[in-house]
Amino acid sequence: MQRRKFSREFKLEAVRLVKERGVAVAQAARDLDLYENVLRKWVRDLSMDPQHAFPGHGQMKPEQQEIDRLRKEVAKLKAERDILKKAAAYFAREAI
C-alpha cells in the first residue's frame, strides 16, 4: 500500500473545515477519508506556523534546511577525520 499525498490546498481546506465551519475533527476526518490524528496534526501545524505550514515537495522550513546543511557538514568532517586518522597511522607505521 502506497502512502497518500495531499496538496497544500487540500490540507488548508480540511483545516478550514474544522476551524471556520466548526465541524468536529472526527466528522471531518470521516468525510475526507483521513485518520483523525492526521487532521489534528494539520490543524496543529497550521496554528503553530501558518506561513511555513505544509511546505510541499522540495520545499523545507528554514530550520529543516539548516539541520540538513549541518548534517552534511558533519558527514564531511567525519570523512576528513577518518582520512587523517588513516594517514597518521600509515606514517606512524613507516617511522618505526
Side-chain angles (χ1 to χ4, degrees):
M1 189 163 149
Q2 193 173 19
R3 186 176 192 173
R4 297 187 304 172
K5 297 178 183 172
F6 301 98
S7 68
R8 176 175 167 72
E9 291 77 26
F10 180 84
K11 292 176 183 181
L12 290 172
E13 282 299 319
V15 172
R16 200 170 292 131
L17 187 66
V18 172
K19 288 285 201 172
E20 294 176 7
R21 295 191 185 160
V23 177
V25 172
Q27 183 62 45
R30 278 193 300 273
D31 292 346
L32 297 171
D33 191 28
L34 298 170
Y35 290 107
E36 280 184 54
N37 59 340
V38 171
L39 186 53
R40 287 183 199 283
K41 181 183 180 311
W42 292 351
V43 170
R44 185 179 61 240
D45 288 349
L46 188 64
S47 65
M48 288 177 62
D49 190 5
Q51 186 178 9
H52 294 109
F54 321 128
H57 305 290
Q59 300 174 358
M60 292 185 275
K61 294 181 179 179
E63 300 87 24
Q64 190 61 41
Q65 288 176 337
E66 179 69 8
I67 289 169
D68 286 351
R69 186 189 67 76
L70 292 172
R71 283 185 179 150
K72 288 177 185 175
E73 186 176 341
V74 166
K76 179 183 173 195
L77 292 172
K78 283 182 178 180
E80 290 174 354
R81 178 202 62 197
D82 292 344
I83 290 170
L84 291 173
K85 277 184 180 179
K86 289 177 184 177
Y90 176 77
F91 290 118
R93 207 172 346 134
E94 280 188 2
I96 296 175

